[in-house]
Structure formats: structure tokens, C-alpha cells
């Protein structure tokens, strides 16, 4: 997108934050999923690992996704920094998983003390019978009215549609209106596997998180 090859992109919140800060991309609309317009990070722990709070992750065996994953690394790392824990340097052992299911399963089995996943992963696995209630705990568990899943971190914006900085602002406005008007069940929404679109959310929270974990270019700090 930075070379002008693309005018409009649907990207994850990290991509949206980097594009709007580093390339002055224009926010078009936010994606609405079944859980809403937000998601967060979850720290799961084995009930027998001796982890009562997130600060207890120091010295523990922790599995995460790669360091560019919003709900599988960045959100939790930002949260832990506020508690004086540097992820992953303060862990006794750190491993990177290819998918979030593996993280939950390995924590449930006791192979790892804790892991990082996005909101909804634990609930989905319980609903499918892949794990049972109590196999893992959610550390520093929080509930937010109107949001269906427990979380450890604060909630951040979901995926976003954004446009090149030089894309016609009038077209951006028309596109935003058209996307927001799409009714649930419309073939275009079904194809995109989303519930709908809404006015673009404020990205300042995720920009703060990216800045804290050193993922923003120096010029954007």
C-alpha cells in the first residue's frame, strides 16, 4: 500500500495502526464481528501453575504467538509492562506457537504454565468440547458489559478498512456510507465472514500499545 499499488485494504488492527501513523492512511470503517467491534488479549494459565496474578508470570514457562500478533502477544506484553514484567525476557522459558489452539491445549496439559491468546478462544474450545471448564484459568479476569468474552487486557478495535492517503476523500466517505448500510446476511458480508461495518474506531489505544512494545517507527513515536 505504501507504494500506491493498493487503494483500499481490510487489515488487522496492527496493520491499520501502522498504516494510519506511518503512511497517513485514511480510516474508512471498522469491522463488526459476532463479538462486536472489539477484542482483547487473554492470559491463560494452568490451574496448578501457581499463577494468581499476571505478575506471577516471572520465571514461568510461557507460550505465545509471534511478536507481531495483536491478541497473541502485543496486548498482553503491553499489559505486563504496566505490572513491571517484561515479556518475554522475564519468563523462565518462552516458546512461540503456530496457532492459538496449541497454546491452550499445552497449557491445559501442563506442558506450559501460561499462554497468550485472543478473547473468545477459550470459550470456543470449551463449546466444541476440545477442553473442559477448569482446564485453564484466565489470569486477571475481567468482564465488560456488552462484550461476550472474559479478558485480561483492555479491549482494542477489531479489523479495519483503510485507504491510501491520496485516495479521494469523497470516495472514502461514499465507501464508508455504503459499508455501514450493508445488512447482516448480505452475500458480501458472508463472503468476508463479518457481521457488518461501523464508523472507524479510535486507534489510539493500540497505537499506545505498539509504541510501548517498540513496534512503531521512530518517526511515529
Amino acid at each position: 500500500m505504501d507504494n500506491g499499488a493498493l487503494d483500499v485494504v481490510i487489515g488487522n488492527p496492527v496493520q491499520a495502526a501502522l498504516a494510519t501513523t506511518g503512511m497517513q492512511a485514511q480510516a474508512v470503517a471498522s469491522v463488526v464481528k459476532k463479538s462486536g467491534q472489539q477484542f482483547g488479549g487473554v492470559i491463560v494459565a494452568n490451574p496448578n501453575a501457581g499463577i494468581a496474578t499476571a505478575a506471577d508470570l516471572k520465571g514461568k514457562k510461557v507460550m505465545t504467538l509471534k511478536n507481531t500478533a495483536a491478541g497473541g502477544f502485543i496486548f498482553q506484553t503491553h499489559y505486563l509492562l504496566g505490572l513491571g514484567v517484561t515479556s518475554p525476557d522475564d519468563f523462565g522459558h518462552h516458546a512461540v506457537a503456530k496457532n492459538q489452539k496449541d497454546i491452550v491445549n499445552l497449557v491445559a496439559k501442563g506442558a506450559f504454565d501460561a499462554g497468550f491468546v485472543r478473547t473468545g478462544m477459550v470459550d470456543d474450545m470449551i463449546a466444541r468440547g476440545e477442553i473442559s471448564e477448569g482446564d485453564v484459568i484466565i489470569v486477571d479476569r475481567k468482564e465488560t458489559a456488552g462484550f461476550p468474552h472474559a479478558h485480561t487486557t483492555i479491549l482494542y478495535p477489531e479489523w479495519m478498512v483503510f485507504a491510501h492517503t491520496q485516495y479521494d476523500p469523497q470516495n472514502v466517505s461514499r465507501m464508508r456510507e455504503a459499508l455501514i448500510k450493508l445488512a447482516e446476511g448480505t452475500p458480501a458480508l458472508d463472503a468476508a465472514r463479518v457481521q457488518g461495518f461501523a464508523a472507524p474506531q479510535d486507534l489510539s489505544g493500540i497505537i499506545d500499545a505498539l509504541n510501548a512494545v517498540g513496534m512503531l517507527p521512530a518517526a511515529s513515536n
Side-chain angles (χ1 to χ4, degrees):
M1 185 176 186
D2 57 345
N3 62 7
L6 296 173
D7 290 323
V8 182
V9 174
I10 298 180
N12 66 45
V14 172
Q15 294 167 335
L18 292 174
T20 55
T21 56
M23 293 179 278
Q24 288 74 53
Q26 305 175 76
V28 179
S30 287
V31 169
V32 181
K33 295 189 176 181
K34 287 184 179 180
S35 56
Q37 299 177 50
Q38 296 178 302
F39 74 117
V42 174
I43 299 175
V44 294
N46 185 282
N48 301 313
I51 298 173
T53 71
D56 295 330
L57 264 65
K58 283 188 175 182
K60 299 294 187 179
K61 294 185 295 182
V62 183
M63 178 170 271
T64 72
L65 293 181
K66 59 185 179 180
N67 63 4
T68 56
F73 187 85
I74 295 169
F75 296 165
Q76 294 90 335
T77 296
H78 185 213
Y79 178 79
L80 288 170
L81 282 173
L83 302 175
V85 180
T86 301
S87 163
D89 296 346
D90 285 340
F91 302 152
H93 175 66
H94 174 239
V96 176
K98 291 183 178 180
N99 63 73
Q100 298 181 68
K101 270 191 181 183
D102 287 347
I103 295 173
V104 177
N105 281 324
L106 289 170
V107 170
K109 293 174 181 176
F112 283 84
D113 298 314
F116 295 176
V117 297
R118 68 168 283 156
T119 44
M121 177 58 60
V122 173
D123 291 341
D124 289 346
M125 291 181 70
I126 291 173
R128 291 192 295 263
E130 295 170 348
I131 60 170
S132 299
E133 289 274 5
D135 282 352
V136 298
I137 60 172
I138 294 178
V139 182
D140 292 355
R141 183 186 182 100
K142 300 174 182 65
E143 305 278 352
T144 296
F147 186 76
H149 306 297
H151 48 101
T152 300
T153 72
I154 64 171
L155 298 178
Y156 295 88
E158 269 286 2
W159 285 49
M160 180 174 285
V161 181
F162 50 96
H164 192 278
T165 181
Q166 296 179 354
Y167 193 62
D168 185 350
Q170 290 187 341
N171 285 340
V172 168
S173 180
R174 285 194 288 267
M175 186 186 311
R176 180 181 299 122
E177 291 178 7
L179 288 172
I180 293 173
K181 287 180 180 178
L182 288 174
E184 186 174 343
T186 299
L189 295 180
D190 290 342
R193 297 181 181 179
V194 300
Q195 302 298 108
F197 294 91
Q201 290 196 74
D202 180 8
L203 290 170
S204 59
I206 193 164
I207 290 171
D208 287 344
L210 292 173
N211 192 38
V213 303
M215 284 192 64
L216 282 185
S220 299
N221 291 343

